[in-house]
Amino acid sequence: MMDLSTLNDNQREAVNWRDGPILILAGPGSGTTQVLTYRIASILEETPDKYFKILGLTATNRAAAEMHERIASLVPYARNRIRIKTFHSFSEAQLRQHGSHIGLRPNFTVLVQDADRWTLLDEAIGRTRNGMLGYGMTAERLLPVVSRLIENNVGVKEAFKALRNDSFDDAETLASVYGNYRALMIEKNVLDFPGLIAEALSLLEKKPPVRELIQVIYGYICVDEFQYTNLLQYKILRHLVDPATENLFVVADDDQIIYQWNGANPERLWKLREDFNMRVLRLPENYRCPPAVIERANCLIKYNSGRPAEKTELIAQKEPSDESVVRVKMFDDFEQEIAWVAEDIGGCPAHERARCVILARTKNFLMQTVSALEQSGISAYLAVRKDEFESAPLQWLHSVLRLANARSSPEYLRIACRAFFSLEGINLDMRDIMSHAAAGDDDYLRSFARAVLARGEEVSSGARNLIEESLPRLSDHLDFWSFEENAFAWFEDLQKKDPVADGVIDEYGEDKEVWHNFLEEITSCYGKEGITLHFFLQELDMWLKTPDPPEDAVPCLPIHSSRGMEFDHVYLIGMVEDQLPSWEAVKKGDDSREMREERRNCFVAMTRVQKTLNLSCSSRIHGREKKFSRFLYEMGVLEPERFSSKNEIEPRTLAIT
């Protein structure tokens, strides 16, 4: 039996909740991951003779993998009854299995690069009035409009009305482009990320037997960080829950809804509560932040109108500190501000710097800060999302495995030929390979192998051995495990022979690390024997290709990228009007949706803290006069009457214990 003695009363009640819908309104640092994993594990522990599975939906693949491992460690014999997914990975899995009902083949491709989406959209434009859109409306400019229509669940027939209501010129033509884009995805067996969710919803809506099968398989649905869901994801969730039992367990915090630009919506949380008539349980206890930080965070967030009257303030559980916990630093200009940040972090032992974080509203501020840190001899990095491998070796390996799974894909063949040229300096004509495949009634993968071997001594011995010995096993028996192992042996040989290789091996180390991290996660979750090539690629498509940060380096993150994280020391920089809050929020006014989201951004940033919070602002940024952020006044660290006038405060430090 699991030991629940370390949980507080509310946490224990959440873990022991069984049947029916419940909403856990949990503040930051309230131990929700432990609550959710214990809850799932306890259900499995109490039902060893049952066959239903439990579906957990969370925000990122990394969080899903970590949660899966934590549950499996508690109930290892029930590992096969756990499915922890993101909405995207769950939708993809259902479409692989049941997508034929809506015209998709199981080996569809996920378009993760905007360039690939532009190519598809260009074709959709070409099918519309001979491609004549006017007003310089290119695929690149139109893609955000198409994405927004998909994410807002606008059907092809409703697109004209939606575009006309948004005052788009030539709404009829744009609606036609949108319809062609949606049709081309099915026709070409490709989906982008918004399309994954949209077509999964279409499947559930059009095919009740599929929906009912899912409801039978998954006896309990658990959702973490519901506040980040968009409309399509919420509609999918509605279909996943068995209406007979409504076993839905949702964790959310309305004070951390910071993705309105990506479809999140504060009202959706209350719609969920109403739709399922949910019991509400609150977890206001914060185990992460010092009391002084909690006090300031509570003061700030109270300024957001529309919060429920019964909303509970965060309750600090840490003991107060005798040292300065909240520091407010004011400077004449931004260069002084980031120089101070570099100096202050430079005073920390090197091994502690990775436990610091610099947060800002915009990447521009962070890029300047990274430069200031590096000039001071401090290793720092700006986290950048990567959806695809960038090094030639991993691009080649990934494309060949994809080609083994989808034998007639010109796109995968193109990438394989391009990457092979980078690695071997041999230019393979993609059109010749496709022609020989058609003439011999063969597939592109085998035709590619023949084209390589036909070049004889031009091909290195490592590449020739791989193509002669391992690729046939991949092609004939889908033995991708030995193929990827032998491919890495070739890559390592290339690197030893020519470490520079004209930039070909650039970023190989980072990509290799990501690849092996993925292998470790997927094999620990599912076991090597149970993973097919199809499933392997499916999970890899959803896996971020961003490498782990350098050891002892200081992370510099946009505020929205810090969700779910915690750090010993937080430096929240650039706290001036038009930055935090943003120019748009200031323009819209203090009670606007935009300003409320900016306030939640600041609240999220503050509550990443475990030890100290450092707030900084400057009177001038890039030569322009700036007012200090209203949030500094709202949280009670600056005097309110100062807000309406020009900054007249001498640069100084305020310290709060």
Side-chain angles (χ1 to χ4, degrees), residues 214-225:
I214 293 172
Q215 292 169 358
V216 169
I217 292 173
Y218 298 107
Y220 292 86
I221 309 292
C222 302
V223 184
D224 193 18
E225 297 187 310

Side-chain angles (χ1 to χ4, degrees), residues 183-199:
L184 276 168
M185 283 198 290
I186 301 298
E187 178 184 322
K188 291 185 173 293
N189 210 40
V190 298
L191 292 173
D192 56 15
F193 280 124
L196 267 179
I197 305 293
E199 296 305 336

Side-chain angles (χ1 to χ4, degrees), residues 143-347:
L143 185 59
V145 179
V146 169
S147 296
R148 189 163 65 248
L149 289 170
I150 298 175
E151 290 164 350
N152 288 329
N153 198 32
V154 177
V156 172
K157 294 181 180 179
E158 293 79 37
F160 168 67
K161 181 178 179 181
L163 290 164
R164 185 180 59 186
N165 290 343
D166 282 346
S167 302
F168 275 92
D169 294 323
D170 202 0
E172 184 178 359
T173 302
L174 294 181
S176 179
V177 171
Y178 174 65
N180 287 334
Y181 183 79
R182 296 290 300 269
L184 276 168
M185 283 198 290
I186 301 298
E187 178 184 322
K188 291 185 173 293
N189 210 40
V190 298
L191 292 173
D192 56 15
F193 280 124
L196 267 179
I197 305 293
E199 296 305 336
L201 176 61
S202 176
L203 173 68
L204 294 172
E205 288 177 340
K206 294 178 180 178
K207 297 299 174 181
V210 174
R211 183 174 68 237
E212 292 162 6
L213 176 63
I214 293 172
Q215 292 169 358
V216 169
I217 292 173
Y218 298 107
Y220 292 86
I221 309 292
C222 302
V223 184
D224 193 18
E225 297 187 310
F226 176 85
Q227 66 267 14
Y228 301 130
T229 57
N230 62 27
L231 177 61
L232 286 175
Q233 291 167 337
Y234 178 58
K235 285 180 173 290
I236 285 179
L237 179 62
R238 290 289 311 273
H239 288 303
L240 300 182
V241 179
D242 187 343
T245 61
E246 291 193 332
N247 287 332
L248 178 61
F249 185 97
V250 174
V251 178
D253 182 11
D254 52 324
D255 287 333
Q256 295 189 72
I257 299 175
I258 59 172
Y259 280 81
Q260 288 187 139
W261 53 270
N262 203 31
N265 188 315
E267 288 75 30
R268 188 163 298 118
L269 186 56
W270 311 119
K271 181 74 164 58
L272 167 81
R273 182 176 173 180
E274 177 184 325
D275 287 349
F276 286 95
N277 190 26
M278 305 184 87
R279 160 81 187 282
V280 177
L281 180 64
R282 301 181 187 278
L283 300 182
E285 297 85 359
N286 179 285
Y287 296 90
R288 176 190 299 153
C289 306
V293 174
I294 294 302
E295 180 184 355
R296 302 301 160 183
N298 282 331
C299 288
L300 172 71
I301 203 64
K302 282 192 294 188
Y303 278 82
N304 263 3
S305 61
R307 298 171 76 235
E310 72 273 20
K311 181 71 178 183
T312 307
E313 285 191 342
L314 296 180
I315 302 171
Q317 296 298 305
K318 278 188 171 181
E319 291 295 323
S321 172
D322 294 332
E323 300 178 356
S324 297
V325 172
V326 180
R327 293 190 295 173
V328 184
K329 298 286 291 185
M330 291 161 281
F331 300 91
D332 284 332
D333 58 52
F334 186 63
E335 286 70 23
Q336 291 179 1
E337 182 177 346
I338 57 178
W340 171 80
V341 171
E343 180 183 359
D344 202 57
I345 293 177

Side-chain angles (χ1 to χ4, degrees), residues 415-588:
I415 298 172
C417 290
R418 183 190 64 197
F420 192 78
F421 174 76
S422 296
L423 294 169
E424 289 283 318
I426 296 175
N427 189 10
L428 301 173
D429 193 313
M430 173 182 162
R431 291 168 297 182
D432 285 348
I433 293 173
M434 294 171 65
S435 297
H436 288 139
D441 195 22
D442 211 341
D443 60 57
Y444 292 170
L445 182 59
R446 291 188 178 92
S447 187
F448 172 84
R450 286 196 298 271
V452 170
L453 296 177
R455 303 300 288 263
E457 295 302 319
E458 294 180 60
V459 183
S460 69
S461 59
R464 188 166 55 252
N465 291 338
L466 181 67
I467 299 299
E468 284 180 340
E469 298 176 12
S470 294
L471 195 140
R473 294 199 298 271
L474 171 67
S475 180
D476 299 338
H477 306 293
L478 297 184
D479 180 7
F480 63 97
W481 292 114
S482 65
F483 182 80
E484 69 95 20
E485 182 178 342
N486 292 329
F488 274 105
W490 172 39
F491 302 152
E492 298 297 325
D493 188 52
L494 283 175
Q495 195 172 33
K496 289 176 184 176
K497 288 181 178 178
D498 187 356
V500 179
D502 295 326
V504 168
I505 307 295
D506 285 353
E507 301 186 355
Y508 168 62
E510 291 185 354
D511 280 353
K512 177 184 174 182
E513 180 183 356
V514 171
W515 182 277
H516 288 301
N517 286 343
F518 169 73
L519 288 185
E520 183 178 346
E521 292 287 359
I522 194 173
T523 53
S524 65
C525 286
Y526 302 104
K528 198 170 183 179
E529 295 74 17
I531 300 173
T532 64
L533 174 60
H534 183 78
F535 180 72
F536 180 91
L537 293 171
Q538 170 185 318
E539 294 296 303
L540 186 56
D541 279 340
M542 298 292 104
W543 189 265
L544 275 183
K545 313 308 185 294
T546 307
D548 289 337
E551 188 176 357
D552 298 336
V554 179
C556 300
L557 306 173
I559 292 172
H560 67 267
S561 296
S562 69
R563 68 180 190 185
M565 299 180 180
E566 57 187 21
F567 301 88
D568 286 350
H569 309 286
V570 170
Y571 294 79
L572 181 53
I573 65 172
M575 294 201 67
V576 296
E577 295 287 294
D578 297 342
Q579 289 293 329
L580 185 63
S582 68
W583 176 84
E584 183 181 13
V586 172
K587 181 181 178 183
K588 292 290 181 67

Side-chain angles (χ1 to χ4, degrees), residues 52-89:
F52 66 80
K53 300 180 189 296
I54 297 179
L55 175 63
L57 295 168
T58 189
T60 67
N61 282 297
R62 189 176 294 275
E66 291 173 357
M67 193 177 298
H68 188 282
E69 277 307 293
R70 291 178 67 167
I71 298 169
S73 68
L74 294 169
V75 281
Y77 54 85
R79 181 186 290 266
N80 64 341
R81 294 178 60 195
I82 313 166
R83 291 293 181 272
I84 311 295
K85 299 279 190 179
T86 64
F87 274 98
H88 283 94
S89 61

